[in-house]
Amino acid sequence: MISAVEDLARLLSAGNVVVVSGAGLSTAAGLPDYRGNGGGETPSVTYDMFVSNPMWQRWVWQRNQETWRALDALAPTRGHLLLSSWERDGIITGTATQNVDGLHAKAGSVRVAEMHGSFTRVACIDCGEITSRRELDSRLSALNPYTVDDPQPGHAAVLAEADSGAAAASTFIVAPCATCGGTLKPDIVFFGETVQALDEAFEFADDAKTILVLGSSLLVMTGMWVVSRGLSSGAALAIVNAGPTQADRLADLRIDTPIDAVLAEADALLRGE
């Protein structure tokens, strides 16, 4: 393990590192390591379902209102903070994340392509205006004063499950866009919706010396697309993930162990400690 971390530190010291991050980076913050289906066995509400049926809009916003504060309260992990410090030091030139938890931004990272969107924002599907989730909270709370928060981050409805019975029973009142009166949607990429910030992620990858995958199995193809883009431009590939990934056979360096500890050891080596 020591030699693997030393190899990672050598790649980092060369600079021009682009991070591809997934759910495994945020498990230490209290979030589950799952692959985007709202955390359960039931499929999620799709984009087409949401835009075509007010029943699903009520249900999505009910689950969002019940659980968003638990996500909002999370603090970045040691791994997030190290990545931010490496960006400030010029080691990391960009991060392409599959996560919607906003923890990269909380940690201070600036060059972040949020490919699956962010729970911290709200989008109007009619006029395109983007507003903050906190701003919408006061409106939804006034319309739905009896909504009870779920304090468990692991229950967060990043994408609400397509539970037709619960959705039909929902009496949640949805707020319209304050600008145009249109339909508001969590600024998270639903299944069937176009991925966000992919061009930005590809620009990061095109100039990378190393692609560093952290906490992603790369089964969600957005991450794999960025990896492939970096490899086609001649970048090395390092992967730190608990369990196998889709790109293991392509990796120059593969470490299968908890992320925060590996990054902390690499940081100590970078600083000569």
Side-chain angles (χ1 to χ4, degrees):
M1 177 57 64
I2 295 297
S3 62
V5 177
E6 288 174 345
D7 288 341
L8 177 59
R10 279 194 289 271
L11 289 172
L12 290 168
S13 66
N16 282 9
V17 176
V18 170
V19 172
V20 175
S21 66
L25 181 63
S26 296
T27 54
L31 290 173
D33 186 1
Y34 57 79
R35 202 161 51 87
N37 274 345
E41 296 295 327
T42 307
S44 302
V45 176
T46 67
Y47 181 74
D48 287 343
M49 292 165 68
F50 181 86
V51 299
S52 64
N53 193 329
M55 177 188 79
W56 291 119
Q57 293 168 21
R58 290 193 298 271
W59 175 239
V60 164
W61 278 115
Q62 177 182 324
R63 293 294 296 128
N64 187 280
Q65 184 69 3
E66 289 169 345
T67 63
W68 84 276
R69 287 189 189 85
L71 280 177
D72 191 55
L74 292 178
T77 67
R78 187 179 188 185
H80 289 102
L81 295 171
L82 286 171
L83 295 179
S84 174
S85 72
W86 292 343
E87 183 185 286
R88 290 193 300 273
D89 292 343
I91 294 170
I92 289 176
T93 55
T95 297
T97 186
Q98 297 172 319
N99 299 336
V100 300
D101 51 38
L103 292 178
H104 283 296
K106 277 188 179 179
S109 292
V110 175
R111 291 175 56 80
V112 181
E114 293 175 318
M115 298 184 293
H116 295 181
S118 173
F119 88 97
T120 66
R121 300 187 300 265
V122 177
C124 176
I125 64 175
D126 293 296
C127 73
E129 183 176 43
I130 303 294
T131 53
S132 76
R133 182 60 182 84
R134 291 184 181 182
E135 180 180 319
L136 180 63
D137 177 63
S138 60
R139 298 174 63 203
L140 289 180
S141 295
L143 292 169
N144 303 276
Y146 302 110
T147 301
V148 178
D149 292 348
D150 186 334
Q152 298 298 321
H155 298 167
V158 171
L159 293 175
E161 293 183 342
D163 184 334
S164 58
S170 175
T171 58
F172 194 81
I173 300 173
V174 176
C177 174
T179 298
C180 75
T183 301
L184 295 178
K185 171 189 155 304
D187 195 26
I188 294 167
V189 176
F190 284 46
F191 291 102
E193 191 176 6
T194 302
V195 175
Q196 298 183 9
L198 196 56
D199 287 344
E200 184 181 14
F202 283 165
E203 288 177 8
F204 293 162
D206 286 341
D207 295 328
K209 285 185 179 178
T210 298
I211 302 291
L212 174 58
V213 177
L214 298 175
S216 176
S217 64
L218 300 174
L219 291 172
V220 176
M221 287 306 295
T222 48
M224 194 64 192
W225 291 338
V226 178
V227 168
S228 298
R229 186 71 171 239
L231 292 176
S232 69
S233 297
L237 175 61
I239 301 175
V240 184
N241 187 65
T245 82
Q246 288 287 85
D248 284 350
R249 62 185 175 81
L250 304 172
D252 299 283
L253 176 63
R254 179 68 172 92
I255 302 176
D256 190 341
T257 194
I259 295 170
D260 282 9
V262 169
L263 297 187
E265 289 179 45
D267 187 63
L269 290 171
L270 287 171
R271 301 182 189 285
E273 298 175 3

XYZ file of all heavy atoms in Angstrom, residues 10-61:
389
model
N 3.348 10.800 -6.702
C 4.177 11.197 -7.848
C 3.304 11.740 -8.990
O 3.648 12.741 -9.624
C 5.016 10.016 -8.333
C 6.283 9.794 -7.513
C 7.239 8.843 -8.210
N 6.729 7.468 -8.199
C 6.975 6.598 -7.222
N 7.723 6.950 -6.180
N 6.505 5.371 -7.282
N 2.171 11.080 -9.231
C 1.263 11.563 -10.272
C 0.710 12.939 -9.904
O 0.607 13.838 -10.750
C 0.117 10.569 -10.476
C 0.481 9.244 -11.142
C -0.704 8.282 -11.093
C 0.921 9.447 -12.586
N 0.366 13.111 -8.636
C -0.161 14.397 -8.192
C 0.891 15.498 -8.310
O 0.588 16.631 -8.711
C -0.641 14.292 -6.744
C -1.898 13.449 -6.501
C -2.074 13.187 -5.007
C -3.133 14.147 -7.055
N 2.116 15.176 -7.970
C 3.180 16.195 -7.979
C 3.462 16.708 -9.383
O 3.976 17.818 -9.555
C 4.464 15.639 -7.359
O 5.003 14.603 -8.167
N 3.102 15.920 -10.414
C 3.307 16.350 -11.795
C 2.260 17.359 -12.245
O 2.424 18.013 -13.281
C 3.300 15.142 -12.730
N 1.187 17.506 -11.473
C 0.162 18.501 -11.772
C -0.765 18.105 -12.899
O -0.738 16.971 -13.392
N -1.622 19.053 -13.311
C -2.616 18.831 -14.376
C -3.442 17.569 -14.115
O -3.662 16.750 -15.000
C -1.940 18.729 -15.742
C -1.569 20.087 -16.288
O -1.653 21.093 -15.587
N -1.133 20.135 -17.536
N -3.911 17.444 -12.870
C -4.737 16.301 -12.474
C -6.204 16.701 -12.569
O -6.610 17.763 -12.082
C -4.406 15.856 -11.037
C -5.334 14.724 -10.598
C -2.949 15.421 -10.939
N -6.996 15.860 -13.205
C -8.445 16.057 -13.272
C -9.113 14.929 -12.495
O -8.830 13.751 -12.721
C -8.939 16.077 -14.730
C -10.476 16.026 -14.788
C -8.435 17.328 -15.424
N -9.972 15.301 -11.566
C -10.659 14.344 -10.716
C -12.016 14.004 -11.328
O -12.736 14.882 -11.807
C -10.854 14.918 -9.296
C -11.739 14.003 -8.447
C -9.501 15.123 -8.622
N -12.357 12.714 -11.300
C -13.714 12.255 -11.595
C -14.245 11.661 -10.299
O -13.734 10.645 -9.825
C -13.731 11.201 -12.718
C -15.150 10.657 -12.916
C -13.204 11.790 -14.022
N -15.222 12.322 -9.691
C -15.679 11.877 -8.372
C -17.083 11.300 -8.423
O -17.935 11.747 -9.188
C -15.628 13.036 -7.364
O -16.555 14.053 -7.699
N -17.289 10.294 -7.553
C -18.585 9.648 -7.440
C -19.011 9.532 -5.991
O -18.383 10.103 -5.090
N -20.069 8.760 -5.765
C -20.706 8.696 -4.457
C -19.760 8.246 -3.355
O -19.906 8.648 -2.198
C -21.918 7.766 -4.515
N -18.763 7.414 -3.701
C -17.859 6.902 -2.685
C -17.037 7.978 -2.007
O -16.548 7.777 -0.892
N -16.888 9.132 -2.650
C -16.152 10.227 -2.025
C -16.941 10.836 -0.875
O -16.353 11.425 0.035
C -15.823 11.300 -3.068
C -15.028 12.515 -2.584
C -13.637 12.103 -2.087
C -14.897 13.559 -3.693
N -18.266 10.713 -0.902
C -19.121 11.386 0.081
C -19.648 10.470 1.173
O -20.402 10.917 2.040
C -20.309 12.048 -0.639
O -19.874 13.060 -1.517
N -19.267 9.198 1.161
C -19.790 8.294 2.191
C -19.354 8.714 3.587
O -20.112 8.559 4.547
C -19.355 6.839 1.928
O -17.924 6.792 1.785
C -20.007 6.289 0.672
N -18.149 9.266 3.706
C -17.678 9.695 5.025
C -18.477 10.878 5.562
O -18.438 11.167 6.761
C -16.194 10.055 4.968
N -19.230 11.556 4.687
C -20.086 12.663 5.117
C -21.441 12.164 5.608
O -22.228 12.934 6.151
C -20.285 13.654 3.976
N -21.728 10.864 5.384
C -22.991 10.290 5.834
C -23.945 9.916 4.730
O -25.082 9.515 5.000
N -23.515 10.029 3.474
C -24.369 9.662 2.351
C -24.105 8.227 1.924
O -22.977 7.744 2.015
C -24.123 10.600 1.170
C -24.626 12.030 1.350
C -24.179 12.896 0.187
C -26.131 12.044 1.479
N -25.132 7.529 1.436
C -24.935 6.150 0.981
C -24.177 6.106 -0.334
O -24.214 7.062 -1.116
C -26.367 5.629 0.803
C -27.173 6.852 0.530
C -26.532 7.959 1.326
N -23.484 5.010 -0.574
C -22.758 4.799 -1.821
C -23.676 4.012 -2.754
O -23.632 2.805 -2.819
C -21.468 4.019 -1.565
C -20.609 3.900 -2.820
O -21.015 4.444 -3.859
O -19.554 3.261 -2.744
N -24.540 4.749 -3.464
C -25.482 4.089 -4.358
C -25.424 4.745 -5.720
O -24.821 5.792 -5.899
C -26.913 4.122 -3.823
C -27.447 5.517 -3.543
C -27.913 6.332 -4.569
C -27.474 6.013 -2.244
C -28.391 7.597 -4.311
C -27.955 7.288 -1.977
C -28.417 8.073 -3.020
O -28.898 9.321 -2.751
N -26.128 4.124 -6.671
C -25.995 4.544 -8.061
C -27.267 5.220 -8.576
O -27.898 4.790 -9.512
C -25.629 3.339 -8.929
C -24.967 3.734 -10.228
C -24.208 2.576 -10.837
N -24.968 1.372 -10.946
C -25.744 1.063 -11.971
N -25.902 1.912 -12.961
N -26.373 -0.084 -12.011
N -27.708 6.302 -7.856
C -28.627 7.243 -8.463
C -30.082 6.900 -8.566
O -30.836 7.622 -9.187
N -30.576 5.800 -7.985
C -31.993 5.486 -8.113
C -32.789 5.950 -6.913
O -33.775 5.306 -6.530
C -32.186 3.971 -8.279
C -32.064 3.539 -9.720
O -32.116 4.368 -10.612
N -31.883 2.264 -9.944
N -32.415 7.074 -6.322
C -33.144 7.549 -5.165
C -32.857 6.730 -3.943
O -33.486 6.886 -2.909
N -31.910 5.796 -4.031
C -31.477 5.032 -2.880
C -32.232 3.753 -2.664
O -31.904 2.975 -1.782
N -33.266 3.452 -3.445
C -34.069 2.272 -3.183
C -34.162 1.358 -4.387
O -33.535 1.551 -5.414
N -35.022 0.310 -4.248
C -35.193 -0.653 -5.315
C -36.148 -0.134 -6.389
O -36.106 -0.567 -7.536
C -35.737 -1.969 -4.736
C -34.781 -2.668 -3.758
C -33.513 -3.128 -4.439
O -33.566 -3.497 -5.634
O -32.454 -3.112 -3.791
N -37.067 0.748 -6.015
C -38.049 1.259 -6.954
C -37.399 2.251 -7.915
O -36.629 3.103 -7.490
C -39.195 1.970 -6.201
O -39.717 1.084 -5.224
C -40.303 2.381 -7.162
N -37.694 2.158 -9.220
C -37.137 3.139 -10.161
C -37.521 4.561 -9.784
O -38.526 4.804 -9.118
C -37.759 2.726 -11.502
C -38.122 1.300 -11.331
C -38.504 1.135 -9.882
N -36.730 5.505 -10.236
C -36.966 6.913 -9.928
C -37.952 7.534 -10.905
O -38.163 7.041 -12.014
C -35.657 7.689 -9.979
O -34.730 7.153 -9.074
N -38.528 8.650 -10.486
C -39.341 9.454 -11.384
C -38.454 9.956 -12.520
O -37.388 10.525 -12.279
C -39.970 10.646 -10.631
C -40.744 11.546 -11.595
C -40.880 10.157 -9.509
N -38.876 9.731 -13.744
C -38.092 10.163 -14.897
C -38.459 11.589 -15.284
O -39.475 12.140 -14.832
C -38.330 9.248 -16.110
O -39.690 9.420 -16.546
C -38.070 7.788 -15.757
N -37.667 12.151 -16.171
C -37.928 13.511 -16.633
C -39.284 13.596 -17.340
O -40.065 14.519 -17.097
C -36.812 13.960 -17.575
C -36.996 15.372 -18.084
C -36.764 16.466 -17.257
C -37.397 15.608 -19.407
C -36.936 17.765 -17.715
C -37.568 16.905 -19.868
C -37.337 17.974 -19.024
O -37.520 19.254 -19.483
N -39.573 12.634 -18.207
C -40.842 12.659 -18.936
C -42.029 12.553 -17.983
O -43.056 13.224 -18.181
C -40.901 11.527 -19.963
C -40.007 11.791 -21.170
O -39.605 12.957 -21.361
O -39.714 10.833 -21.908
N -41.905 11.718 -16.958
C -42.973 11.610 -15.963
C -43.189 12.945 -15.256
O -44.314 13.396 -15.066
C -42.634 10.518 -14.945
C -42.640 9.099 -15.511
S -41.813 7.913 -14.404
C -42.943 7.890 -13.012
N -42.087 13.574 -14.893
C -42.173 14.829 -14.136
C -42.827 15.931 -14.953
O -43.728 16.627 -14.476
C -40.776 15.255 -13.681
C -40.758 16.527 -12.884
C -40.973 16.507 -11.510
C -40.534 17.761 -13.502
C -40.969 17.678 -10.766
C -40.529 18.935 -12.764
C -40.753 18.887 -11.396
N -42.384 16.119 -16.187
C -42.870 17.263 -16.964
C -44.295 17.059 -17.467
O -44.987 18.041 -17.794
C -41.940 17.587 -18.155
C -40.551 17.947 -17.658
C -41.882 16.425 -19.146
N -44.761 15.816 -17.514
C -46.066 15.552 -18.119
C -47.195 15.364 -17.117
O -48.365 15.328 -17.516
C -45.989 14.307 -19.021
O -45.700 13.153 -18.242
N -46.888 15.253 -15.831
C -47.934 14.884 -14.876
C -47.766 15.656 -13.568
O -46.791 15.445 -12.834
C -47.876 13.378 -14.607
C -49.094 12.873 -13.878
O -49.711 13.589 -13.087
N -49.449 11.605 -14.111
N -48.733 16.524 -13.220
C -48.647 17.264 -11.956
C -48.578 16.374 -10.728
O -48.033 16.794 -9.706
C -49.937 18.104 -11.968
C -50.286 18.244 -13.410
C -49.876 16.947 -14.039
N -49.099 15.155 -10.819
C -49.013 14.231 -9.688
C -47.552 13.958 -9.331
O -47.176 13.988 -8.157
C -49.707 12.914 -10.021
C -49.605 11.864 -8.907
S -50.237 10.232 -9.384
C -48.846 9.595 -10.352
N -46.724 13.711 -10.347
C -45.314 13.432 -10.083
C -44.575 14.688 -9.644
O -43.644 14.624 -8.853
C -44.647 12.820 -11.315
C -45.135 11.439 -11.622
C -45.763 11.028 -12.757
C -45.044 10.284 -10.779
N -46.069 9.692 -12.680
C -45.634 9.208 -11.480
C -44.533 10.051 -9.506
C -45.723 7.927 -10.950
C -44.617 8.777 -8.963
C -45.207 7.735 -9.681
N -44.997 15.842 -10.132
C -44.393 17.095 -9.676
C -44.652 17.300 -8.186
O -43.737 17.677 -7.438
C -44.939 18.265 -10.493
C -44.518 18.223 -11.957
C -45.276 19.207 -12.817
O -45.840 20.179 -12.323
N -45.310 18.961 -14.124
N -45.884 17.058 -7.758
C -46.194 17.181 -6.318
C -45.343 16.230 -5.507
O -44.797 16.596 -4.456
C -47.683 16.897 -6.076
C -48.621 17.959 -6.600
C -50.034 17.769 -6.056
N -50.628 16.499 -6.462
C -51.333 16.335 -7.578
N -51.516 17.354 -8.406
N -51.855 15.166 -7.863
N -45.214 14.994 -5.964
C -44.489 13.974 -5.217
C -42.988 14.279 -5.151
O -42.360 14.171 -4.093
C -44.738 12.605 -5.844
C -43.958 11.482 -5.243
C -43.089 10.661 -5.882
C -43.989 11.027 -3.882
N -42.562 9.731 -5.021
C -43.104 9.938 -3.781
C -44.671 11.451 -2.745
C -42.886 9.258 -2.588
C -44.447 10.768 -1.557
C -43.572 9.691 -1.475
N -42.421 14.677 -6.289
C -40.989 15.010 -6.315
C -40.692 16.145 -5.350
O -39.734 16.088 -4.560
C -40.543 15.366 -7.747
C -39.191 16.088 -7.735
C -40.454 14.118 -8.598
N -41.521 17.191 -5.377
C -41.258 18.328 -4.507
C -41.570 18.010 -3.047
O -40.896 18.533 -2.144
C -42.030 19.561 -4.976
C -41.304 20.259 -6.096
C -41.712 20.414 -7.379
C -40.012 20.862 -6.009
N -40.751 21.086 -8.105
C -39.703 21.381 -7.292
C -39.082 21.024 -4.979
C -38.515 22.039 -7.566
C -37.883 21.678 -5.248
C -37.612 22.179 -6.533
